[in-house]
Amino acid sequence: MVSRKLRMGMIGGGTGSFIGDVHRRAASIDGMIELVCGAFSSKPEKSIASGKALFLPEARCYSSFEEMILKEKELPEFERMDFVSIVTPNHMHFPPAKMALENGFHVVCDKPMTLTLDEAYQLEKVVEQSGKLFALTHNYTGHPMVKQARAMVANGDLGTIRKIQVQYLQGWLSTAVEKTENKQASWRVDPKRSGIGGALGDIGTHAENLVEYITGLKIDELAADLGRFGEGRILDDDGNILLRMDNGAKGTMSISQIALGEENNLAIKVYGDQGSLEWHQEEPNKLITHWLDKPIKTFTPNGNDLYPAALETSRIPAGHPEGYLEAFATIYKNFAQHVLAVLNGELGGNADYPSVKDGIRGMQFIYASVESDENNASWIKLG
């Protein structure tokens, strides 16, 4: 019976990395995971220095992800890492994920899953062949009120879903910050490191994933009108997309990173024939619902009338804010519970976290949107 913290190795996320620190903090929140090793940078000296700054033994601070995976595999089972967390730019998701899986390690990976759609299909096969677990950090699915929204739709509370509106608006690329020393901007506008989608990959995939996660429906086809407003930018930094869902519902999506004044305005509204709901990421502890024949009702974490999935995700008493890090932590907690179940030879486990299938949907969304935009916003099927 395995009863211990899971041992995590990290690829990327060295000194100065925003997302690396987010993942480390989130993984530690529920006390189920500890960081034991890492290859934190493509520069060996920076990787080792980053590991030391995190108080890791020098022997577990590696110069490359290849070295880390091979050397960790050689360690005794009671010492080696259990899984890797990949927090690199997009072009460096597939190579370490593939190698880790093929060498017997479970994987957590940042989104979008891969640089190209072909890599996504390849990775799906590797996951299946390896028998290992793979989690994709679409962290917004970890919010208690998103779990509540999903459960309400699945239970039929809203009736038949007819219309969906989703937006993800930011303004941080309103100026040419990629031409400064802003590393977060520089790789996101570079097709060699970001892929064929700019805002599509960075925030559009979150919006796409949230739509499909909450509603349980699939985007059947879309029509996209993308913008490239930043001077000299090749990749999209803005977009408006029409959606047709597989049940006949209609949807609209607005994404932007040049919406001056916006910070992280992710929001979704779902309309059924019996009720509707809305959730705003910047006020994540409120799920507002409207009903055909009842008063407006607002749900809150650990509040009244929650479905089990929302209650299980709520960590603290009602009225105490839960946010970004806690949502991220939910992905890690559910993944860790599933890994422990596998280590103990148990069937099932808590698989309520985005998977390789969700990663493929995200890449299909990016490719369909770019194809649609190139063809005057024509309707394109996903998949």
Side-chain angles (χ1 to χ4, degrees), residues 171-179 189 199 226-239 256-259:
W172 72 291
L173 292 181
S174 293
T175 60
V177 291
E178 68 269 24
K179 296 178 182 178
V189 301
L226 306 178
R228 296 160 186 85
F229 288 98
E231 184 179 351
R233 285 183 189 155
I234 300 171
L235 301 179
D236 60 279
D237 52 20
D238 183 83
S256 184
Q257 294 182 310
I258 51 89

Side-chain angles (χ1 to χ4, degrees), residues 326-373:
E326 289 87 350
F328 245 111
T330 296
I331 305 294
Y332 274 100
K333 181 180 75 171
N334 292 352
F335 178 75
Q337 289 173 339
H338 200 179
V339 172
L340 285 170
V342 169
L343 292 176
N344 286 316
E346 300 171 3
L347 296 176
N350 189 354
D352 184 10
Y353 53 83
S355 71
V356 69
K357 302 288 187 185
D358 297 287
I360 286 176
R361 292 294 295 172
M363 295 306 299
Q364 289 173 337
F365 164 78
I366 294 170
Y367 273 67
S369 297
V370 170
E371 182 181 351
S372 173
D373 180 65

Side-chain angles (χ1 to χ4, degrees), residues 138-192:
H138 278 300
N139 56 294
Y140 299 110
T141 65
H143 281 283
M145 293 301 91
V146 170
K147 301 289 188 191
Q148 175 69 10
R150 174 181 168 89
M152 292 178 72
V153 173
N155 194 54
D157 296 356
L158 273 60
T160 300
I161 303 305
R162 294 170 163 175
K163 184 177 179 65
I164 303 160
Q165 289 183 313
V166 64
Q167 65 181 42
Y168 201 153
L169 306 175
Q170 298 175 334
W172 72 291
L173 292 181
S174 293
T175 60
V177 291
E178 68 269 24
K179 296 178 182 178
T180 66
E181 295 183 0
N182 190 319
K183 294 181 179 179
Q184 297 300 319
S186 64
W187 74 258
R188 282 177 167 82
V189 301
D190 179 4
K192 293 180 180 178

Side-chain angles (χ1 to χ4, degrees), residues 210-229:
L210 198 63
V211 166
E212 295 197 342
Y213 183 78
I214 287 178
T215 67
L217 303 173
K218 298 295 183 184
I219 299 170
D220 183 46
E221 54 184 345
L222 57 76
D225 180 22
L226 306 178
R228 296 160 186 85
F229 288 98

Side-chain angles (χ1 to χ4, degrees), residues 111-346:
K111 43 54 54 193
M113 187 168 72
T114 52
L115 185 70
T116 68
L117 182 56
D118 181 62
E119 285 181 349
Y121 289 133
Q122 290 183 56
L123 191 57
E124 180 183 33
K125 292 179 181 178
V126 174
V127 171
E128 291 173 355
Q129 291 167 358
S130 71
K132 298 300 174 181
L133 303 182
F134 180 93
L136 192 68
T137 52
H138 278 300
N139 56 294
Y140 299 110
T141 65
H143 281 283
M145 293 301 91
V146 170
K147 301 289 188 191
Q148 175 69 10
R150 174 181 168 89
M152 292 178 72
V153 173
N155 194 54
D157 296 356
L158 273 60
T160 300
I161 303 305
R162 294 170 163 175
K163 184 177 179 65
I164 303 160
Q165 289 183 313
V166 64
Q167 65 181 42
Y168 201 153
L169 306 175
Q170 298 175 334
W172 72 291
L173 292 181
S174 293
T175 60
V177 291
E178 68 269 24
K179 296 178 182 178
T180 66
E181 295 183 0
N182 190 319
K183 294 181 179 179
Q184 297 300 319
S186 64
W187 74 258
R188 282 177 167 82
V189 301
D190 179 4
K192 293 180 180 178
R193 291 181 286 173
S194 185
I196 69 169
L200 278 171
D202 196 26
I203 59 177
T205 52
H206 274 310
E208 167 270 324
N209 179 258
L210 198 63
V211 166
E212 295 197 342
Y213 183 78
I214 287 178
T215 67
L217 303 173
K218 298 295 183 184
I219 299 170
D220 183 46
E221 54 184 345
L222 57 76
D225 180 22
L226 306 178
R228 296 160 186 85
F229 288 98
E231 184 179 351
R233 285 183 189 155
I234 300 171
L235 301 179
D236 60 279
D237 52 20
D238 183 83
N240 296 295
I241 304 171
L242 296 177
L243 309 174
R244 290 174 178 166
M245 310 304 292
D246 61 359
N247 77 328
K250 309 294 185 181
T252 61
M253 178 186 297
S254 179
I255 61 171
S256 184
Q257 294 182 310
I258 51 89
L260 185 64
E262 297 287 0
E263 295 178 335
N264 201 56
N265 190 355
L266 170 62
I268 186 170
K269 296 181 180 181
V270 179
Y271 299 90
D273 61 5
Q274 299 299 311
S276 65
L277 60 81
E278 61 179 291
W279 179 79
H280 300 259
Q281 188 275 154
E282 292 182 340
E283 294 185 11
N285 296 299
K286 292 182 179 180
L287 177 66
I288 302 169
T289 61
H290 298 255
W291 304 99
L292 188 64
D293 55 2
K294 293 184 291 187
I296 296 171
K297 184 171 183 176
T298 300
F299 294 89
T300 57
N302 249 328
N304 295 325
D305 295 335
L306 296 184
Y307 283 102
L311 280 173
E312 292 164 4
T313 310
S314 303
R315 290 180 174 81
I316 50 184
H320 294 72
E322 298 186 43
Y324 182 72
L325 287 175
E326 289 87 350
F328 245 111
T330 296
I331 305 294
Y332 274 100
K333 181 180 75 171
N334 292 352
F335 178 75
Q337 289 173 339
H338 200 179
V339 172
L340 285 170
V342 169
L343 292 176
N344 286 316
E346 300 171 3

